[in-house]
Amino acid sequence: MVERYEPPAIEKKWQARWDEDRLYQVRDEEPRPKWYALTMFPYTSGDLHIGHWYNYAPADVHARYKRMRGFNVLHPMGFDAFGLPAENAAINRGVHPFTWTMQNIENMRRQLKSIGAIYDWDREVITCLPDYYKWTQWFFIKLFENGLAYRGLAPVNWCPRCQVVLANEQVESGRCWRCESDVVRRELEQWLFRITKYADELLDFNGIDWPERIKIMQRNWIGKSSGMEISFGLDHPGVAEKEIKVFTTRPDTVFGVTFMVLAPEHPLVSKITAPEKKKEVGAYVARSQRLTDIERLSTEKEKDGVFTGAYCVNRLNDTKVPIWIADYVLQSYGTGAVMAVPAHDERDFAFALKYGIPIIPVIEPPDGIVKSFAFPDTMKEGFEEELKMSGFEYKAAEIGGQFVTLHDEAQVKKYIQLMKAYLKPDNWNDIIGSPWLFFFSGKTGIETIALDSIESEAEILKRCKAIEPNVRNCRTAVEMLNNCEFYRDRLFHAEYGRMIHSGRFTGNRDGVNAVSAYLEEKGWGRRTVSYRIRDWLISRQRYWGAPIPMIYCEKCGIVPVPEKDLPVLLPETAEFRPTGESPLKYNDSFVNTNCPKCGGPARRETDTIDGFMCSCWYFLRYASPQYEKAAFDPAKVKRWLPVDFYTGGAEHAVMHLLYARFFTKAIQDMGLVDFSEPFTRLFNQGIIISGHQKMSKSRGNVVNPDEYVAELGVDTVRAYMMFIAPWEQGGEWDDSGISGISRWLHRVWDLAVENYHSLNNQEDQELIRLTHQTVKKVTEDIEKIRFNTMVAALMEFSNHLSRMKKAGSVSAVAWQSSLKTLLLLLAPTAPHLAEELWHRYGYQYSIHNQPWPQWDEALVTRDEFTLVVQVNGKVRDRLLVPASTTEVQAMQMAAGSTQVQSYLAGREISKRIYVPGKLVNFVLSKPGVQEGHSPSSPHSPSPSQGEGDKGGEVKP
RNA sequence: GCCGGGAUGGCGGAAUGGCAGACGCAGCGGACUUAAAAUCCGCCGGAGCAAUCCAUGUGGGUUCGACUCCCUCUCCCGGCACCA
């Protein structure tokens, strides 16, 4: 018996050898082209679960492949080491965050080493060490000096559980990204980064190869929308401001403004509120401050608000517009004020209905449908017959009367005539949609009033109430119409269309541009853009982060710490209590300092920097991790950056990935680097879930890879990760298939280790073909990141080898050469096994320094192929034919097939389809006669399946 | 609600306009063994004795031909969620 494959021993042996030989040490200066393959470094949470491995193992396979393809590959690893969990461990268990973090790193480094990756550990980066965070602080000062870091009073997202503020990106559906607590608002003075300055640049993804999905998420997050800032006149005694500015994307609806809504936090609120409304408004403002974002922004929550008692003026039609406040308007977007057009905005519509505010339609519905309800007993005898005769679409209402639907202007015109003729005295009728007309039949005839302004709205309502007691409690005309189900779909729409009821613009179809131009000409507005994205809030009221390197001096104000004094070290001792204030605040020896400018007494900033800033530049540090003179050695960054291939989870789409892009653009503008995008190609691998949930310690569903490694070997685990699904897909962790991979690697071992006895060389050509075919398939699959099919191809290849070995049907030379190729193809996936077998064959150490095998396209193609023969698109025969077969020959052979002939008998071929190298399809003309089929195929081959099974029985 | 992605055997998946189910797991049968494990060989979507038919979430369409392209609907996953 030959030696058995024993992975743990082999793996340990080769890892030690590689380590000793510094096989994976990366040299900066090499003639080979560079390849920077980066994978997102882990947060130091304690240990790596199988989900982490799913990030790292396939990334390493790809990097190893690139290495064999002749690239000088930098594939570094490090630790994202600042963050809340470390401090929470300190609070809960009394371990110092530093100790906790470094212990975790020890363990994680051990696990990472067991992967057998090509990480060059000399380049390890740990963000919580002073030699790293010194430069994080240095970058902060650079941003400050360039006007990109500023201190501001802002309503912030406060997580009551973590006792810390969060950036907008770190709030997920109103909850803290880390602990899922509901976030509340607080007004605090904080440090922010001016990411909004780069909003437009961040929208430009030219030159980078990123998944469409991530680009869309970033675009949505940035949320650029073009519109207008429109000024409404304000004339309030004692108030200096003479206008209220609103932001709108729909200037074409400006004639439909019937109220104005300010955010509760809007600075004008306290100034303009009428004395008798002060109490109510104050209470509303107080309440909205108290609510969490979840409560306040919940779409389930009914829109509510309060009238301030004040008015402004719509300059376009000189209408007085009541000013309300409501918390569905956000102070932080646009101007914090909106012009409400209830006829064409869903929220405004709901709000207006709730508070009885008039609704004036100003845009025609694009479907052109107009409705009218002929109320019971309002029409004279014979009206219905007239409707019928005129061909109108109508339906009898349950309560009597008719629902009439009109489809064009001619119908409307005709209907109006008809209706006027039949309307009984002292009644009214209306047509809704466009035009919007009310017809009142009085003593003197019929009077028509259009619902085109606040005044006419009031007049219409007054008259209706006079006629119909049932509508007396309606506050607006639309509220009255809204009682009728039939009208509902006409009362509100948000589409673009022809303007109506809009003075000089009535009839205009390009309202947005027309109104914009007019407002600009008048000086009442300007075209502008708004962004959803807000500046990045980076202050954290916590200990375990890089201290913000700023000093407050009473005389000199805010002064950055001079570079020579960096890093501002975290004091070793601090009291860790969840107070909501930085533990540094009460550390006198940290806080008290001297002003670098005037030397006088001063205080240090006690907040620390958001950990996401550390990961904004770690990819630069890897280029020269021990460099002491600066954050990075410019020559090395020039050599290695940008990252060629960045892999990691999609959960960072609008956090890390957006921040890192911003940061890179910012330092490019400072002249520190000469590229604008850090990651040329991004690939998001899928997530491994467990029990239908993301793996996390807190959920208690983590799967530890260590046991699999100990039992089956790391090569098996690596290959299994590659095999389970396409990498971008991920999925539920299920180890039931891992035995298949283990068996396969054992088979490969036996294949290579056991002696081969050649009996003949019958299959040499076939083996050569299969070898080249496999090289091609494996290479292309790795390039396309289709690792699962790559492993499948390797399995198929080794299955063929097994068969040939058993048969002894290839020469010893062909066998050796193919096996050598198999090992090379296997090297990235199963590096230890490949190295061991390579060594046993006596080939030169190391297999990982060998070039990737090439394939010869001429040898890949077979000299014969299976020609599929179809009749009416259904496969009826398969013929093995020479590769040189011509179309004519193929047709002849296909037609000659006995299988096929039974389908052709008595039928005419109307079309012959030929796909070279693949198939022939005979299309038959429609069956004329039922007989004429051979008894063996009684079914009609015609595609018409009407008769189904019962028609198929033909007794012989 | 809006924006993405997805649905294929018992399971993971393969096939991106041309042989549906590669490769693997599980299962079944056999060989070896005193026996078991391991290993090896065979079978393995459904119906049918068979010829053959049915089958890629639903319903329609385009095409000689559709898992693949287009439209409708259902369900699942991810993101955003009053952004005016």
Side-chain angles (χ1 to χ4, degrees), chain A residues 151 550-554 585 590-595 600-606:
Chain A
R151 198 163 157 75
M550 289 289 160
I551 290 169
Y552 300 101
C553 169
E554 276 191 27
K585 202 166 179 176
F590 177 83
V591 174
N592 296 323
T593 185
N594 294 317
C595 172
R603 284 169 31 248
R604 281 190 197 282
E605 167 67 63
T606 55

Side-chain angles (χ1 to χ4, degrees), chain A residues 226-230 232 246-257 314 316-317 339-345 360-366 493-519 527:
Chain A
S226 315
M228 280 217 93
E229 209 170 88
I230 301 180
F232 282 68
V246 301
F247 174 74
T248 181
T249 54
R250 294 297 300 271
D252 55 327
T253 65
V254 69
F255 285 82
V257 173
N314 185 349
L316 278 120
N317 55 8
M339 57 177 223
V341 185
H344 305 293
D345 180 280
I360 310 298
V362 292
I363 303 288
E364 233 173 37
H493 75 84
E495 319 272 321
Y496 290 92
R498 204 163 67 104
M499 290 173 75
I500 54 174
H501 309 155
S502 298
R504 59 165 61 218
F505 296 99
T506 296
N508 200 308
R509 290 184 183 278
D510 183 23
V512 174
N513 283 317
V515 174
S516 298
Y518 181 75
L519 285 169
R527 280 178 234 242

